Structures are given as C-alpha cells and as structure tokens.
Amino acid sequence: MANERDDVIVIGAGVGGLSCAALLAAQGLAVTLVEAVAGPGGKMRQLRCGDALVDGGPTVFTMRPVFEAIFEACGARLDDEVKLTPATVLARHAWGDARLDLFADRAASQDAIGTFAGAAAARGYAGFCREAERLYNALEAPFIWAEQPNQIGLAWAMLRANAADLFSRRPFQSMWRALGDYFPDPRLRQLFGRYATYCGADPWQAPATLMLIAHVEASGVWLIEGGMVALARALAALAERHGAVIRYQAPVREVLVDQAGVSGVVLESGERLTARRVVCNADPAALAAGRFGAAVTRAAPAMPPPLRSLSALVWTTHARTAGFPLAHHNVFFSGDYAAEFKALAAGRVPAEPSIYVCAADRASDGGAPLGGPERLQILVNAPALGDARALTPWEMDQCQSRMIACLARAGLELTLPPAATVLTSPEGFEALFPSTGGALYGRASHGSAAAFRRPGSRTPIPGLYLAGGATHLGPGVPMAALSGRLACATLLADRASTARFHPAAMPGGISTRRATTAASA
C-alpha cells in the first residue's frame, strides 16, 4: 500500500543529497531521503580495517564557506557541528629523494619552490597563483553559481564583466601546456598538473581553466576530527532536526513517472513512496542506463566508457610505516608522468604510478610516527573499466607490489597486513556506484566544452532533479554540496512558479506557501 504522499523524496545520502535534504527540510517541506547502504556519505565512506575505521573516499576539505552557508541557511553553525583544524601544510610531494611541501602560507610555498627549483621557478609560481585566482574570480559567478551554464552564456557574462577575461582565460589550451608558461621544471608541472586529477582528468587533455583548483586549495584546507564521514553525519543530523526522514538500507528499484511527471519511487522491497518531486543523488549514468527504470532513462545523457573520468585502486589500511616523514596529505610522483597517462588512456593501470597517501593520524605537517599502526588511505589512478573486466587477484597483487616499490624509492617503508587492509578496485567502485565503470568523478573534464555537457539540476522529466559530483559543477566535496544547493533552489523555484499558476493546493499535499531564498544562500 502506498504511504501518505511526501513533498520530496531524495535518493542517495551522498553530500549532494544530504545538503539538498537539509535545505529543503529547513524550508518546511516534508523530505524523505532513501539510501541504499547503512549510513550517510556516499563516496565519503569509512571501511573497517582490523581494529580501525579508515576513510575510503574524499580526504581533502576545502571551500569552507560553502558549508558555512548551508548550515547557516538551516539555522546552525558549521563550527558547532564538526571540529575543523586548518592545515598549515597543504601537501608533501616527493620525487625519489627530492621533496617539496606546499603551505597554506603562499609566501612560504614560494620560498620552498625557490629553494627546490630556483628563483625563476619561484617567480613562475607567483605568476601561476595570480592566474589561478583570476580564473576563479572570472568563472565564479557565471559558471560555478549558475544552474547549468552554456558556453555562449558564459562568454557573454564574462564579456559584460571584463572583456579581457574572455580571451585571457585559455579556454582552448590544455592545462599541461599552460603550466609550461610558469614551470619549466617538469616536476613542478607534474605537481600542479595533478590538480586535473581532482576531476579525474588527464592534464594533457584537461582545459587550462582547471588551474583554478590550485587557488581553491591555496585558499584553505582543513582537517576534520573523526574523518570526512563526520561531515556527512553532521549534514544528516541537520536534515533530521528539521524533520527529514532518512531511511538507510532502502535501495530504490524504480522512479515512477505518469503523465504529469514524477510520481514517486519503488524500493527494492516493493514498497512504494509517492511524491511529485524527486531529487536523485546517484550518478546520472545510472539513470541513463535504466538502473532506475525505463521511464527515466531520458533524464540524463548516456556515458560511454571513453567519456568517463578516472577510477582508482584504493587501499585502506591500519599499517606500520617507517622512513619517509609522512605529512597528512602526501603525493609520490612517477618518473614518467606522460607514460602514466598514456597507460590510463589505453585502459591499463600504470606500471609506475603516482601515489597519493593520506596519513589520517598525522597532523597536517606530519610529526613523529605513531610507534604503531596508523590509518592510511593509498590511491593510484586507474581506468574506469570496472564494468568491462575485473582485475584478477594476480593483477591486483602486481599493482600492490608496484605501489609499494614506488613508495620505497622515496624512502617510505610500508607493510600491508592482510587482516587490516581493504583494496577497492574499479570493479568494486562499479558495484558501489553502478553504470559508472568505477569512474569516481562523472564525465572526464577533457576539452573546453566538457564542463557544459554535464547535466544540471533540472531534467526533462517534470519533478525530477539531479544532485551530486557527476552533475554540473563537477566532482569534489564542496562541488557536490553546491549541486545539492542548486537542486534545492531549482526545485523551490519550480514549486513557486507552479503555485503562481495553480493557486489551489496541488495533488499530493504540496504546500503552496511561497518559497524563500534562504535555502540557497
């Protein structure tokens, strides 16, 4: 039997769905959030590794004002809900024996780069930072905050604001080529080219505009007590305080559609929930592939494998280390970055990968080893082919051996205890996020038009909205949160418009109270 009609159903408790649910509930809508697994977070998850819980998803928290605004719109303060500590060291980078730290203090980073690669490199870094900041400022209003910008609209907005921006923002130049203007040292091009991988992209194919990510990170990185999942739990609690009902272990089998648009969802259990507004915080590729029923396949574009972003091999472990002085965030670079991305483009895991290591128990600047096991997340980029071919146990063993050998060349000694280590491969991520092949970032940000081909908040199906890191704005925790805010604002605007044309109460008990703009502040 169908339940009483809800105002809104949100599918998926990733950060986009949680943000949207909290904001909608704060506006007085009746919100039911249904999530397939046992807790909130989506990709922001923790895994049991022996006696420890280790973050197995995003580890970098930036753009704090995005979350402050969401909590404020819900009558709360971010600082009261999660404990944040500013990072003094953004990341520690290594090329064999050579090391370079980037700092929250830009002058300290410039000095460190000068010591590492010379005065010209330090000047190049200063110029790069200025361009990254200009890029962010030029694109913030017409792109980042827009519901679903197009290239013509973005160009017009930039022309009105500053005509020079349209021609100086390198829209048709690759990131790798643009970095050569500032960093003749290939190691520094590697370091700053890595920001493309924050979107799951290849720096040789990604547009130079992605250099703005460096400005975002340089503007502040924070460590969250309890790991990133603490943020997900805080958003879930915020939504529940405003009356949202969160149902875990309630996967959706089908999104229902009738002549008027969305009419509800059917859970895997067979239970039917009715609503005229549904926000889907799953990867849009799952909609296009029919994972939520044939009626909503047109809600999002299909995602052929060549268009996917990168996947990864991710080891979460409670292990002992020695040698290399780990900071909280660490990157160990391969000796041949071009070969690494050629292998990925060819569908292979690189023989000599670059490796990210998050040492969760260390302060941002590192400090002494714990003297016992510590919580680590280790990530190597991999092609998103998890729905086409599973890596064999032998292949995964080889990947692990190569990863450990690459770390050893930089002086990090690491032994992974089998009982306290979990490896998630592209096929594992495909199982968690179906129809993606394990792609962690949606569509790859390759070429100047890629950003405009991501779906926005509104779909062609009335009442169905999208949120999450694979929609407009792109991947990353703050971008996913912003997508939830945009979905909320779009839904409220449509609801208000409907109310103006239909003064009577709408079917299903959706209130005609005029929506305010507080939820999208």
Side-chain angles (χ1 to χ4, degrees), residues 310-355:
L310 294 172
S311 185
L313 291 158
V314 178
W315 291 263
T316 48
T317 186
H318 196 218
R320 295 177 183 272
T321 66
F324 185 92
L326 288 169
H328 192 90
H329 299 294
N330 309 267
V331 184
F332 299 82
F333 284 105
S334 66
D336 189 337
Y337 215 38
E340 181 177 347
F341 282 93
K342 285 177 182 176
L344 290 166
R348 303 191 307 272
V349 178
E352 185 188 352
S354 293
I355 303 163

Short mmCIF file of all heavy atoms in Angstrom, two decimals, residues 310-355:
data_model
loop_
_atom_site.label_atom_id
_atom_site.label_comp_id
_atom_site.label_asym_id
_atom_site.label_seq_id
_atom_site.Cartn_x
_atom_site.Cartn_y
_atom_site.Cartn_z
N LEU A 310 38.55 9.20 -14.46
CA LEU A 310 39.37 8.13 -13.90
C LEU A 310 38.65 7.39 -12.78
O LEU A 310 37.78 7.94 -12.10
CB LEU A 310 40.67 8.70 -13.35
CG LEU A 310 41.64 9.30 -14.37
CD1 LEU A 310 42.79 9.99 -13.65
CD2 LEU A 310 42.17 8.22 -15.31
N SER A 311 39.06 6.15 -12.59
CA SER A 311 38.72 5.39 -11.41
C SER A 311 39.99 5.31 -10.56
O SER A 311 40.91 6.13 -10.73
CB SER A 311 38.20 4.00 -11.77
OG SER A 311 37.77 3.31 -10.60
N ALA A 312 40.05 4.35 -9.66
CA ALA A 312 41.24 4.24 -8.81
C ALA A 312 41.33 2.86 -8.18
O ALA A 312 40.34 2.12 -8.09
CB ALA A 312 41.20 5.30 -7.70
N LEU A 313 42.53 2.53 -7.78
CA LEU A 313 42.78 1.46 -6.83
C LEU A 313 43.03 2.15 -5.49
O LEU A 313 43.91 3.00 -5.39
CB LEU A 313 44.00 0.63 -7.24
CG LEU A 313 43.83 -0.22 -8.50
CD1 LEU A 313 45.19 -0.55 -9.09
CD2 LEU A 313 43.07 -1.50 -8.16
N VAL A 314 42.23 1.81 -4.49
CA VAL A 314 42.34 2.47 -3.18
C VAL A 314 42.55 1.43 -2.10
O VAL A 314 41.71 0.55 -1.90
CB VAL A 314 41.07 3.30 -2.87
CG1 VAL A 314 41.18 3.95 -1.49
CG2 VAL A 314 40.85 4.38 -3.94
N TRP A 315 43.70 1.54 -1.45
CA TRP A 315 43.99 0.70 -0.30
C TRP A 315 43.65 1.49 0.96
O TRP A 315 44.14 2.61 1.15
CB TRP A 315 45.47 0.31 -0.24
CG TRP A 315 45.93 -0.62 -1.31
CD1 TRP A 315 46.06 -1.97 -1.22
CD2 TRP A 315 46.36 -0.28 -2.65
NE1 TRP A 315 46.54 -2.50 -2.40
CE2 TRP A 315 46.73 -1.48 -3.30
CE3 TRP A 315 46.46 0.93 -3.34
CZ2 TRP A 315 47.19 -1.50 -4.60
CZ3 TRP A 315 46.90 0.91 -4.64
CH2 TRP A 315 47.27 -0.29 -5.27
N THR A 316 42.82 0.93 1.83
CA THR A 316 42.62 1.48 3.16
C THR A 316 43.22 0.48 4.13
O THR A 316 42.94 -0.73 4.04
CB THR A 316 41.13 1.70 3.46
OG1 THR A 316 40.39 0.53 3.11
CG2 THR A 316 40.59 2.88 2.67
N THR A 317 44.03 0.97 5.05
CA THR A 317 44.80 0.05 5.87
C THR A 317 45.14 0.65 7.22
O THR A 317 45.16 1.87 7.40
CB THR A 317 46.09 -0.38 5.13
OG1 THR A 317 46.77 -1.38 5.88
CG2 THR A 317 47.02 0.82 4.93
N HIS A 318 45.38 -0.24 8.18
CA HIS A 318 45.91 0.12 9.50
C HIS A 318 47.27 -0.57 9.57
O HIS A 318 47.37 -1.75 9.85
CB HIS A 318 44.97 -0.37 10.60
CG HIS A 318 45.20 0.26 11.93
ND1 HIS A 318 45.10 -0.44 13.11
CD2 HIS A 318 45.55 1.53 12.27
CE1 HIS A 318 45.34 0.37 14.12
NE2 HIS A 318 45.63 1.57 13.64
N ALA A 319 48.33 0.18 9.24
CA ALA A 319 49.63 -0.43 8.97
C ALA A 319 50.76 0.39 9.58
O ALA A 319 50.60 1.57 9.90
CB ALA A 319 49.84 -0.55 7.46
N ARG A 320 51.90 -0.25 9.70
CA ARG A 320 53.10 0.42 10.21
C ARG A 320 53.90 1.00 9.04
O ARG A 320 53.97 0.41 7.97
CB ARG A 320 53.98 -0.57 10.98
CG ARG A 320 53.34 -1.11 12.24
CD ARG A 320 54.23 -2.15 12.92
NE ARG A 320 53.59 -2.72 14.09
CZ ARG A 320 53.66 -2.20 15.32
NH1 ARG A 320 54.40 -1.10 15.53
NH2 ARG A 320 53.04 -2.77 16.33
N THR A 321 54.49 2.15 9.28
CA THR A 321 55.36 2.78 8.28
C THR A 321 56.67 3.16 8.94
O THR A 321 56.77 3.27 10.16
CB THR A 321 54.72 4.05 7.70
OG1 THR A 321 54.60 5.04 8.73
CG2 THR A 321 53.35 3.76 7.11
N ALA A 322 57.67 3.38 8.10
CA ALA A 322 58.97 3.85 8.58
C ALA A 322 59.64 4.58 7.43
O ALA A 322 59.26 4.46 6.26
CB ALA A 322 59.84 2.68 9.05
N GLY A 323 60.65 5.38 7.79
CA GLY A 323 61.43 6.06 6.75
C GLY A 323 60.88 7.43 6.43
O GLY A 323 61.02 8.37 7.21
N PHE A 324 60.20 7.56 5.32
CA PHE A 324 59.72 8.85 4.83
C PHE A 324 58.86 9.54 5.88
O PHE A 324 57.95 8.93 6.45
CB PHE A 324 58.91 8.63 3.56
CG PHE A 324 58.46 9.90 2.88
CD1 PHE A 324 59.24 10.49 1.90
CD2 PHE A 324 57.27 10.52 3.24
CE1 PHE A 324 58.83 11.65 1.27
CE2 PHE A 324 56.86 11.68 2.62
CZ PHE A 324 57.64 12.26 1.64
N PRO A 325 59.10 10.85 6.14
CA PRO A 325 58.31 11.57 7.15
C PRO A 325 56.97 12.02 6.59
O PRO A 325 56.83 13.11 6.02
CB PRO A 325 59.21 12.78 7.48
CG PRO A 325 59.97 13.03 6.22
CD PRO A 325 60.20 11.67 5.58
N LEU A 326 55.98 11.20 6.75
CA LEU A 326 54.66 11.50 6.19
C LEU A 326 54.05 12.74 6.81
O LEU A 326 54.12 12.95 8.03
CB LEU A 326 53.71 10.32 6.42
CG LEU A 326 53.97 9.06 5.59
CD1 LEU A 326 53.13 7.91 6.13
CD2 LEU A 326 53.66 9.29 4.11
N ALA A 327 53.43 13.58 5.98
CA ALA A 327 52.51 14.62 6.44
C ALA A 327 51.10 14.02 6.40
O ALA A 327 50.94 12.81 6.24
CB ALA A 327 52.62 15.84 5.54
N HIS A 328 50.08 14.85 6.58
CA HIS A 328 48.72 14.31 6.49
C HIS A 328 48.40 13.94 5.04
O HIS A 328 47.91 12.84 4.76
CB HIS A 328 47.72 15.35 7.01
CG HIS A 328 46.35 14.80 7.21
ND1 HIS A 328 45.94 14.24 8.41
CD2 HIS A 328 45.27 14.69 6.37
CE1 HIS A 328 44.69 13.83 8.30
NE2 HIS A 328 44.26 14.09 7.07
N HIS A 329 48.70 14.86 4.09
CA HIS A 329 48.49 14.61 2.66
C HIS A 329 49.84 14.50 1.98
O HIS A 329 50.70 15.38 2.14
CB HIS A 329 47.70 15.75 2.02
CG HIS A 329 46.33 15.94 2.61
ND1 HIS A 329 45.34 15.00 2.49
CD2 HIS A 329 45.80 16.98 3.32
CE1 HIS A 329 44.24 15.45 3.10
NE2 HIS A 329 44.50 16.64 3.61
N ASN A 330 50.04 13.44 1.19
CA ASN A 330 51.34 13.18 0.56
C ASN A 330 51.13 12.69 -0.87
O ASN A 330 50.18 11.93 -1.15
CB ASN A 330 52.10 12.08 1.32
CG ASN A 330 52.17 12.35 2.81
OD1 ASN A 330 53.12 12.94 3.30
ND2 ASN A 330 51.16 11.89 3.55
N VAL A 331 52.01 13.11 -1.77
CA VAL A 331 51.96 12.66 -3.16
C VAL A 331 53.36 12.21 -3.57
O VAL A 331 54.33 12.96 -3.42
CB VAL A 331 51.48 13.76 -4.13
CG1 VAL A 331 51.35 13.19 -5.54
CG2 VAL A 331 50.14 14.34 -3.67
N PHE A 332 53.44 10.99 -4.09
CA PHE A 332 54.71 10.42 -4.57
C PHE A 332 54.58 10.29 -6.09
O PHE A 332 53.76 9.52 -6.59
CB PHE A 332 54.94 9.04 -3.93
CG PHE A 332 55.06 9.09 -2.43
CD1 PHE A 332 53.91 9.12 -1.63
CD2 PHE A 332 56.29 9.12 -1.81
CE1 PHE A 332 54.01 9.17 -0.25
CE2 PHE A 332 56.40 9.17 -0.42
CZ PHE A 332 55.25 9.20 0.36
N PHE A 333 55.40 11.05 -6.81
CA PHE A 333 55.24 11.14 -8.26
C PHE A 333 56.05 10.09 -9.00
O PHE A 333 57.17 9.72 -8.58
CB PHE A 333 55.65 12.53 -8.75
CG PHE A 333 54.62 13.59 -8.47
CD1 PHE A 333 54.81 14.51 -7.46
CD2 PHE A 333 53.46 13.65 -9.21
CE1 PHE A 333 53.87 15.49 -7.19
CE2 PHE A 333 52.50 14.62 -8.96
CZ PHE A 333 52.70 15.54 -7.95
N SER A 334 55.49 9.65 -10.13
CA SER A 334 56.19 8.72 -11.01
C SER A 334 57.31 9.45 -11.74
O SER A 334 57.32 10.68 -11.84
CB SER A 334 55.22 8.12 -12.02
OG SER A 334 54.76 9.12 -12.91
N GLY A 335 58.22 8.67 -12.29
CA GLY A 335 59.33 9.26 -13.03
C GLY A 335 58.97 9.68 -14.44
O GLY A 335 59.70 10.44 -15.07
N ASP A 336 57.84 9.18 -14.95
CA ASP A 336 57.42 9.50 -16.32
C ASP A 336 55.92 9.74 -16.31
O ASP A 336 55.12 8.82 -16.48
CB ASP A 336 57.79 8.35 -17.26
CG ASP A 336 57.59 8.71 -18.73
OD1 ASP A 336 56.80 9.63 -19.03
OD2 ASP A 336 58.21 8.05 -19.59
N TYR A 337 55.53 11.00 -16.12
CA TYR A 337 54.11 11.34 -15.98
C TYR A 337 53.37 11.09 -17.29
O TYR A 337 52.22 10.62 -17.28
CB TYR A 337 54.00 12.80 -15.57
CG TYR A 337 52.85 13.11 -14.63
CD1 TYR A 337 52.48 12.23 -13.61
CD2 TYR A 337 52.15 14.31 -14.74
CE1 TYR A 337 51.44 12.54 -12.74
CE2 TYR A 337 51.11 14.62 -13.87
CZ TYR A 337 50.77 13.74 -12.87
OH TYR A 337 49.74 14.04 -12.02
N ALA A 338 54.00 11.40 -18.42
CA ALA A 338 53.35 11.20 -19.71
C ALA A 338 53.03 9.72 -19.93
O ALA A 338 51.93 9.36 -20.38
CB ALA A 338 54.22 11.73 -20.83
N ALA A 339 53.97 8.85 -19.59
CA ALA A 339 53.74 7.41 -19.76
C ALA A 339 52.60 6.93 -18.86
O ALA A 339 51.82 6.05 -19.24
CB ALA A 339 55.03 6.64 -19.45
N GLU A 340 52.51 7.51 -17.67
CA GLU A 340 51.45 7.15 -16.75
C GLU A 340 50.07 7.42 -17.37
O GLU A 340 49.18 6.56 -17.34
CB GLU A 340 51.62 7.94 -15.45
CG GLU A 340 50.59 7.64 -14.38
CD GLU A 340 50.86 8.40 -13.10
OE1 GLU A 340 51.97 8.96 -12.93
OE2 GLU A 340 49.96 8.41 -12.24
N PHE A 341 49.89 8.58 -17.96
CA PHE A 341 48.58 8.91 -18.52
C PHE A 341 48.33 8.25 -19.86
O PHE A 341 47.18 8.00 -20.23
CB PHE A 341 48.41 10.43 -18.58
CG PHE A 341 48.07 11.01 -17.23
CD1 PHE A 341 49.08 11.47 -16.39
CD2 PHE A 341 46.78 11.01 -16.77
CE1 PHE A 341 48.78 11.96 -15.14
CE2 PHE A 341 46.46 11.50 -15.51
CZ PHE A 341 47.47 11.97 -14.69
N LYS A 342 49.38 7.92 -20.59
CA LYS A 342 49.19 7.12 -21.81
C LYS A 342 48.67 5.73 -21.45
O LYS A 342 47.80 5.18 -22.15
CB LYS A 342 50.51 7.02 -22.58
CG LYS A 342 50.89 8.30 -23.31
CD LYS A 342 52.24 8.16 -24.01
CE LYS A 342 52.63 9.47 -24.70
NZ LYS A 342 53.99 9.40 -25.31
N ALA A 343 49.19 5.15 -20.38
CA ALA A 343 48.71 3.84 -19.94
C ALA A 343 47.25 3.91 -19.52
O ALA A 343 46.43 3.06 -19.89
CB ALA A 343 49.57 3.34 -18.78
N LEU A 344 46.88 4.94 -18.77
CA LEU A 344 45.50 5.09 -18.34
C LEU A 344 44.57 5.26 -19.54
O LEU A 344 43.49 4.66 -19.59
CB LEU A 344 45.38 6.30 -17.41
CG LEU A 344 46.02 6.14 -16.03
CD1 LEU A 344 46.14 7.49 -15.33
CD2 LEU A 344 45.22 5.16 -15.18
N ALA A 345 45.00 6.06 -20.53
CA ALA A 345 44.18 6.26 -21.73
C ALA A 345 44.01 4.97 -22.52
O ALA A 345 42.99 4.77 -23.19
CB ALA A 345 44.80 7.34 -22.61
N ALA A 346 45.00 4.09 -22.41
CA ALA A 346 44.94 2.81 -23.11
C ALA A 346 44.20 1.74 -22.30
O ALA A 346 44.12 0.59 -22.73
CB ALA A 346 46.35 2.32 -23.43
N GLY A 347 43.68 2.11 -21.14
CA GLY A 347 42.92 1.17 -20.33
C GLY A 347 43.76 0.30 -19.43
O GLY A 347 43.30 -0.77 -18.99
N ARG A 348 44.98 0.75 -19.10
CA ARG A 348 45.85 -0.04 -18.24
C ARG A 348 46.19 0.72 -16.96
O ARG A 348 46.28 1.95 -16.96
CB ARG A 348 47.17 -0.36 -18.96
CG ARG A 348 47.02 -1.09 -20.28
CD ARG A 348 48.38 -1.58 -20.77
NE ARG A 348 49.37 -0.53 -20.82
CZ ARG A 348 49.59 0.29 -21.85
NH1 ARG A 348 48.84 0.17 -22.94
NH2 ARG A 348 50.53 1.22 -21.81
N VAL A 349 46.41 -0.03 -15.91
CA VAL A 349 46.96 0.57 -14.69
C VAL A 349 48.44 0.83 -14.93
O VAL A 349 49.16 -0.05 -15.40
CB VAL A 349 46.78 -0.38 -13.48
CG1 VAL A 349 47.41 0.22 -12.22
CG2 VAL A 349 45.31 -0.66 -13.25
N PRO A 350 48.94 2.03 -14.67
CA PRO A 350 50.35 2.33 -14.96
C PRO A 350 51.31 1.42 -14.22
O PRO A 350 51.09 1.05 -13.07
CB PRO A 350 50.49 3.79 -14.49
CG PRO A 350 49.11 4.34 -14.49
CD PRO A 350 48.21 3.20 -14.14
N ALA A 351 52.39 1.08 -14.92
CA ALA A 351 53.43 0.25 -14.29
C ALA A 351 54.16 1.02 -13.19
O ALA A 351 54.57 0.44 -12.19
CB ALA A 351 54.42 -0.23 -15.35
N GLU A 352 54.34 2.32 -13.40
CA GLU A 352 54.95 3.17 -12.38
C GLU A 352 53.98 4.32 -12.10
O GLU A 352 54.02 5.35 -12.75
CB GLU A 352 56.30 3.74 -12.84
CG GLU A 352 57.00 4.53 -11.74
CD GLU A 352 58.23 5.26 -12.23
OE1 GLU A 352 58.64 5.05 -13.39
OE2 GLU A 352 58.78 6.07 -11.45
N PRO A 353 53.10 4.14 -11.11
CA PRO A 353 52.06 5.15 -10.88
C PRO A 353 52.52 6.26 -9.95
O PRO A 353 53.45 6.10 -9.16
CB PRO A 353 50.96 4.34 -10.21
CG PRO A 353 51.72 3.31 -9.41
CD PRO A 353 52.94 2.97 -10.24
N SER A 354 51.85 7.40 -10.03
CA SER A 354 51.92 8.39 -8.97
C SER A 354 50.96 7.93 -7.88
O SER A 354 49.92 7.32 -8.16
CB SER A 354 51.53 9.77 -9.48
OG SER A 354 52.50 10.24 -10.40
N ILE A 355 51.30 8.23 -6.64
CA ILE A 355 50.57 7.66 -5.50
C ILE A 355 50.21 8.76 -4.51
O ILE A 355 51.07 9.57 -4.14
CB ILE A 355 51.43 6.59 -4.79
CG1 ILE A 355 51.86 5.50 -5.77
CG2 ILE A 355 50.69 5.98 -3.61
CD1 ILE A 355 53.02 4.67 -5.29
#
